[in-house]
Amino acid sequence: MTLQGLAAQAPRSPSRRLWRCWVWLLLLPGPAAALTLKDVQVVGVDGDARRNIELALSLSRIPPTQLLSEQRLAYLLGEAPEQARQALQPLGYYLAEVEVDSRRVGDAVSVRVQVRTGPPVRVQQLGLGIDGPGGEDPVLRRQLARFAPGRGEVLHHGRYEASKTAIERQLAARGYFAATRSQARVEVEPAAGRADIALRWSSGERYRIGAVQFEGNPFRPGLLEALVDWPDNSAFDEERLLQLQRRLFDLDYFSAVEVRALPEQDDGLVRPVLVDLLPAKRSRYRAGLRYGSDTGAGINAGYERRWLNTRGHKWASELAISERLQEVGSQYRIPAFARGGWYSLQAGLRDERLPELHTRLLQLVGNRSGRWRDWQWLAGLHWQRERYPGDGLDPDFRYVTLVYPALSLQWSRSDDPLYPRRGRAVSAELRGGSHVLGSDVDFVQLRVEGRWLQPLGERYRLLLRAEAGTTGSDNFADLPPSLRFFAGGDRSVRGYGYKRIGLAADEGPGGGRHLLVGSV
């Protein structure tokens, strides 16, 4: 059997259908009371096969309250076997056997559809290819390699169509706008249980990205243009446009961002890019009540000026007051878009009251953030003055000043930024202080954390998390609590209070030199 684009198997001839319906009618008794369809059961198959049959059966669409004549019921029962067989073909089952039985209790009819799928049709030959420059494109070659169903796999129509569509979308995303499908042929031999697939495209020439124009922004020329990180007349790649859109959204200047390629220019191979921007409200206020098992009940408030001037500078302040934590902070940021980040200066005061530990911290930080490949990085210089309780020999508060540089890296990948079901993330931070910089304590500290998220069925997720840290210092007893390791709380070891693991320690105010935590 030859199918073009996976058309369904040819239905049985109309004469056979009419003959079968006349047989049903001849076997029926004379006029009787109207009937109702109590239920329709499909047995012998599960999953997609059962769902397809239930959707295909005309019987399944009859509500229990609808009255049926004997003739109408006979017609629906006669159609059911062919409808069930047709519903199984998209899943690769072309030789299914279907039996339909009906039972009556008074005027109520129950129908049972017994299905035996038989052996599925499997792909024997698979011929795929792209002619033209697109045939050498590594991204398109990988897309072809992922085509499903592959050799030896069941001829699943849905997977076939999805794979074909994915290749054509990738051709457009890579700039082959003149691509055409030159061959699409599927040959099916149900009796032999085999299918041969032949698919080819002609890519045509690849288009290039033209000039990028920004409209609707209040900033001076050149500021947003620094976010365009590809050379002029680069080969067209839709992913670059999507990345530009994400970067513009991440700036938090705009409430709407649309990045689109315009029709080609005169030479026919250049697509200019227009970026339409809608500025957000310039000032943003936040206020609310809060409760967390770590901090207790509290309130928080904040103010942010999304941009202060045409250079895109930002300023924000935050206040949070809760039972165990009070903090206030302010941050000033300057764009550094040529490297995909910011310069920032921030100041903050933090007062934390835990059982057996009351600390107060004043901190000034100068940071530079950026992006390297898929990694977000942050480098900064910290100055902090911390007050915390002394030990048994020194019951009064102790004061420590620390000056230290710090470098942190973050990498993540997920299937959804808001509610991921599958993803991975890694973060690491290295910091160290020295008397040479004005720090009261010499130390080096490294902390690493990893997360792995995996779906379990349709409703559940498995989250694995591991965290490790270590501190090197000849004067660890002089290191303040903010630079020591603790565990416990809803984001650490659940079942223990916030930072309760590590409070009882022999050196100074508690906390550990090292940390190793894993959770499932």
Side-chain angles (χ1 to χ4, degrees):
M1 180 189 300
T2 299
L3 301 182
Q4 294 292 338
L6 276 183
Q9 182 185 15
R12 299 186 178 185
S13 64
S15 60
R16 292 187 63 185
R17 285 189 177 184
L18 291 174
W19 178 85
R20 188 172 62 244
C21 291
W22 279 111
V23 171
W24 275 95
L25 291 174
L26 290 174
L27 293 176
L28 291 174
L35 305 173
T36 58
L37 189 61
K38 181 180 179 182
D39 59 10
V40 179
Q41 292 184 348
V42 178
V43 297
V45 290
D46 293 310
D48 290 340
R50 181 176 178 178
R51 283 190 288 271
N52 275 19
I53 293 174
E54 290 174 342
L55 290 173
L57 289 176
S58 298
L59 286 165
S60 298
R61 295 191 287 273
I62 303 297
T65 57
Q66 181 175 331
L67 299 179
L68 296 173
S69 65
E70 294 281 3
Q71 292 83 357
R72 177 61 176 167
L73 177 61
Y75 175 78
L76 294 175
L77 292 173
E79 289 291 298
E82 186 63 23
Q83 291 174 344
R85 281 189 286 267
Q86 292 284 348
L88 289 172
Q89 288 183 10
L91 303 179
Y93 297 99
Y94 284 75
L95 300 175
E97 297 180 2
V98 182
E99 296 179 0
V100 179
D101 298 321
S102 62
R103 296 182 179 180
R104 302 189 184 190
V105 178
D107 293 333
V109 180
S110 296
V111 177
R112 186 173 185 267
V113 181
Q114 175 70 51
V115 180
R116 289 182 290 275
T117 61
V121 169
R122 297 184 180 273
V123 177
Q124 184 79 13
Q125 298 293 331
L126 178 61
L128 304 172
I130 298 176
D131 301 318
E136 302 301 321
D137 190 313
V139 175
L140 292 172
R141 291 169 71 92
R142 288 194 295 270
Q143 191 70 50
L144 286 174
R146 290 194 290 266
F147 188 91
R151 287 187 181 90
E153 296 181 342
V154 175
L155 179 62
H156 190 294
H157 294 206
R159 297 180 67 194
Y160 169 87
E161 292 294 340
S163 296
K164 186 173 64 175
T165 300
I167 292 173
E168 293 175 352
R169 286 178 178 171
Q170 194 67 263
L171 280 163
R174 298 289 289 173
Y176 300 97
F177 297 114
T180 58
R181 193 190 310 157
S182 56
Q183 185 182 26
R185 186 176 182 84
V186 180
E187 295 182 353
V188 179
E189 299 180 27
R194 63 171 288 169
D196 297 334
I197 297 175
L199 276 172
R200 295 197 73 84
W201 290 267
S202 177
S203 71
E205 295 296 324
R206 188 177 183 183
Y207 281 63
R208 302 188 303 275
I209 301 179
V212 181
Q213 180 181 352
F214 293 85
E215 292 188 356
N217 74 89
F219 306 113
R220 64 178 183 176
L223 178 69
L224 300 181
E225 284 77 1
L227 294 169
V228 180
D229 61 352
W230 58 81
D232 293 340
N233 271 348
S234 294
F236 190 94
D237 188 348
E238 189 180 62
E239 182 60 28
R240 285 175 165 170
L241 305 188
L242 293 175
Q243 288 179 356
L244 176 61
Q245 186 179 43
R246 287 192 290 266
R247 289 171 187 156
L248 289 166
F249 265 121
D250 290 343
L251 300 179
D252 197 33
Y253 291 141
F254 311 106
S255 60
V257 177
E258 182 184 10
V259 181
R260 53 192 172 95
L262 299 175
E264 58 267 21
Q265 294 179 340
D266 295 338
D267 63 3
L269 289 176
V270 177
R271 300 287 296 270
V273 175
L274 178 64
V275 182
D276 284 320
L277 302 167
L278 180 63
K281 290 184 178 180
R282 196 167 180 180
S283 296
R284 179 167 63 177
Y285 304 87
R286 296 188 302 275
L289 303 176
R290 58 184 291 184
Y291 178 81
S293 58
D294 293 349
T295 59
I299 60 173
N300 62 283
Y303 170 76
E304 179 182 2
R305 189 72 165 169
R306 283 191 167 99
W307 70 90
L308 291 168
N309 48 42
T310 59
R311 293 178 174 83
H313 294 195
K314 286 176 171 283
W315 178 66
S317 291
E318 191 81 24
L319 171 67
I321 301 175
S322 60
E323 296 177 75
R324 294 185 286 277
L325 177 65
Q326 298 83 42
E327 56 185 342
V328 60
S330 186
Q331 183 184 57
Y332 191 93
R333 291 198 290 169
I334 301 172
F337 297 156
R339 297 290 181 180
W342 302 82
Y343 294 102
S344 67
L345 179 64
Q346 60 190 71
L349 178 63
R350 177 186 179 96
D351 189 281
E352 189 172 41
R353 298 173 181 267
L354 301 175
E356 306 170 14
L357 181 61
H358 178 198
T359 64
R360 183 170 296 169
L361 173 67
L362 174 64
Q363 189 174 54
L364 299 175
V365 182
N367 282 326
R368 169 70 168 90
S369 64
R371 189 175 187 88
W372 178 72
R373 296 186 179 178
D374 293 334
W375 291 83
Q376 294 280 357
W377 59 267
L378 178 67
L381 181 64
H382 296 241
W383 176 93
Q384 70 181 54
R385 178 74 170 172
E386 187 166 354
R387 189 196 77 173
Y388 60 96
D391 53 25
L393 300 177
D394 185 8
D396 296 330
F397 285 107
R398 299 184 62 184
Y399 294 86
V400 175
T401 300
L402 296 178
V403 182
Y404 59 91
L407 173 65
S408 63
L409 299 171
Q410 289 186 339
W411 175 90
S412 64
R413 184 167 295 169
S414 66
D415 57 356
D416 189 296
L418 298 179
Y419 186 79
R421 289 182 49 78
R422 186 188 307 274
R424 294 167 290 167
V426 177
S427 63
E429 183 178 16
L430 177 66
R431 52 191 176 185
S434 171
H435 285 85
V436 176
L437 299 175
S439 179
D440 292 344
V441 184
D442 294 336
F443 73 96
V444 175
Q445 190 172 83
L446 174 65
R447 177 187 165 277
V448 180
E449 182 177 359
R451 293 173 181 264
W452 186 70
L453 186 62
Q454 180 72 16
L456 295 178
E458 297 182 358
R459 298 180 55 190
Y460 302 99
R461 300 180 300 169
L462 172 66
L463 174 60
L464 304 181
R465 175 181 170 272
E467 183 180 3
T470 185
T471 306
S473 176
D474 292 335
N475 304 102
F476 183 76
D478 296 328
L479 207 62
S482 63
L483 273 296
R484 299 184 179 214
F485 293 117
F486 296 85
D490 63 356
R491 299 194 180 201
S492 180
V493 182
R494 296 189 179 185
Y496 290 84
Y498 178 59
K499 290 187 176 181
R500 291 296 297 172
I501 304 176
L503 275 180
D506 296 332
E507 298 183 80
R513 287 176 178 266
H514 313 291
L515 175 69
L516 183 60
V517 174
S519 67
V520 179

